[in-house]
Amino acid sequence: MAPTCLITGGSGFVGGRLIERLVARGWQVRALARSAEAMRIVGRRGAQAVAGSLDDASSLAAATAGCDVVIHVAALFKLWGDPAWFERANVQGTAKLLQAAAAASVKRFVQVGAAAVVMGDLGPMLRADESLPRQERAWAPYSASKARSEALVQGANRPGVFETVVLRPPMIWGAGMPTLDHMVQTVRAGQFRWVGDGSQAMSTAHVDNVCHAVELALEKGRGGEAYFVSDGADSTLKQVISGLLQTRAIEPPRASAPLPLAWVLAGVMEWMWRAFSRPGEPPITRQMLRLIGQPFTLDIGKARRELGYRPIVTWEQGLRAMQGA
């Protein structure tokens, strides 16, 4: 019989692509869905929709029953918000899913984590590898919550019984990426500024490369381990953002701001948004600046050695696909 997996976040960018790839490989795929619209989306992609949420232990028990593996993609990804939101979605939700999966005798649990879990205070990080410790900063509730979530996943590993693996991609991109819509809106509103001159080195991960890494982790990942994955060829912030904007026929702006000034302004804006309960998100946040303000590249040697990982989509191939979408 074909193996059965449960995917969380299946109505989203990465989870949706993962459903399509696994169904094409013959998997029986279930997808946790919180709304009627999410159920329709995952159904169109080929998954069996299962009503439920990471908040609801009973729905998680039903969703994981009979599954061979669980792939945890769902996460609250925002660069601003109440830390309690991130704790509930990314930490407590993961804990409940781990508990349900273990109780259902699921054999393997793969989490799509985040490379940002090793980011601490401002500073360049080149060829970061898995020997670096996880970091948590109060001004970075997203990456701090992902670090705590990852610790739960790795800590739940039981060799030969319930094996857990974490993948750590950097910025995930590709056709349909929701963050590009936000970039376009920011540029059109005249709010976009390069941090410094935009020459800071960065790693990226095409959505199909991330999905390929998940497939390999299901088969070869060592229980209790985390793996950085990327496109294998690094670029710069300006090259990446400019290339993505140009797929929408938008020329990148020229305005810039030095990182020290931007950092101070971000702190002031965050204070204003909290103090006056302003709607929406500040134009810049310290979490955002930590992600893009300093060089950050990955060493994917561990994934190459242990998973046999090789990127399957290049930067040029991915951009061509976006231009034709």
Side-chain angles (χ1 to χ4, degrees):
M1 294 179 62
T4 300
C5 74
L6 171 70
I7 294 178
T8 69
S11 61
F13 176 47
V14 178
R17 185 67 183 123
L18 191 55
I19 289 173
E20 295 168 351
R21 288 177 62 93
L22 290 176
V23 168
R25 290 184 57 189
W27 282 76
Q28 296 293 319
V29 180
R30 300 178 189 170
L32 192 69
R34 293 192 302 172
S35 67
E37 177 61 17
M39 294 183 77
R40 286 191 290 270
I41 291 172
V42 300
R44 288 196 298 267
R45 287 169 170 166
Q48 174 193 350
V50 181
S53 74
L54 295 175
D55 288 331
D56 183 2
S58 62
S59 69
L60 294 179
T64 54
C67 286
D68 300 289
V69 301
V70 169
I71 306 172
H72 185 28
V73 184
L76 175 61
F77 175 56
K78 292 170 67 71
L79 299 179
W80 170 254
D82 188 331
W85 301 346
F86 295 93
E87 181 72 17
R88 179 179 178 181
N90 297 343
V91 183
Q92 295 175 11
T94 298
K96 290 177 181 177
L97 183 61
L98 283 166
Q99 184 177 16
S105 298
V106 167
K107 299 301 182 185
R108 178 154 293 226
F109 185 107
V110 176
Q111 180 186 37
V112 177
V117 297
V118 298
M119 286 182 166
D121 296 329
L122 282 178
M125 301 179 74
L126 297 174
R127 294 188 60 78
D129 65 21
E130 293 81 1
S131 67
L132 294 172
R134 287 184 290 264
Q135 302 281 348
E136 297 182 30
R137 296 294 184 273
W139 42 261
Y142 166 70
S143 59
S145 67
K146 290 294 282 186
R148 291 193 292 276
S149 174
E150 178 182 294
L152 290 176
V153 174
Q154 288 187 288
N157 183 64
R158 299 294 179 268
V161 178
F162 180 58
E163 299 198 330
T164 62
V165 181
V166 178
L167 298 174
R168 295 171 169 176
M171 186 191 81
I172 304 174
W173 65 285
M177 61 182 292
T179 53
L180 181 54
D181 294 332
H182 179 69
M183 289 182 202
V184 169
Q185 292 170 2
T186 302
V187 171
R188 286 176 171 166
Q191 297 177 336
F192 186 92
R193 298 290 185 277
W194 295 111
V195 181
D197 62 4
S199 66
Q200 47 270 47
M202 66 178 293
S203 297
T204 56
H206 188 273
V207 62
D208 282 351
N209 290 335
V210 176
C211 292
H212 178 53
V214 170
E215 293 164 351
L216 292 170
L218 291 172
E219 301 170 6
K220 303 178 182 180
R222 291 172 54 197
E225 296 294 324
Y227 298 91
F228 284 119
V229 294
S230 76
D231 293 329
D234 301 326
S235 188
T236 67
L237 176 68
K238 182 164 283 190
Q239 289 169 337
V240 169
I241 302 302
S242 297
L244 293 173
L245 289 173
Q246 286 166 357
T247 66
R248 300 283 187 89
I250 294 178
E251 285 301 312
R254 297 182 180 181
S256 63
L259 178 58
L261 174 60
W263 187 264
V264 172
L265 289 175
V268 171
M269 288 182 181
E270 290 174 16
W271 177 84
M272 291 176 60
W273 256 251
R274 284 193 300 267
F276 299 104
S277 300
R278 301 190 65 170
E281 300 181 8
I284 57 172
T285 65
R286 287 174 290 177
Q287 171 81 87
M288 176 195 304
L289 293 173
R290 184 62 190 92
L291 291 173
I292 66 172
Q294 291 280 5
F296 181 62
T297 63
L298 304 177
D299 180 343
I300 61 172
K302 182 178 176 182
R304 290 183 183 275
R305 292 188 304 271
E306 297 186 10
L307 302 181
Y309 173 74
R310 299 292 185 276
I312 59 174
V313 177
T314 66
W315 175 253
E316 293 76 17
Q317 290 170 336
L319 285 185
R320 284 197 296 271
M322 293 178 72
Q323 289 166 342

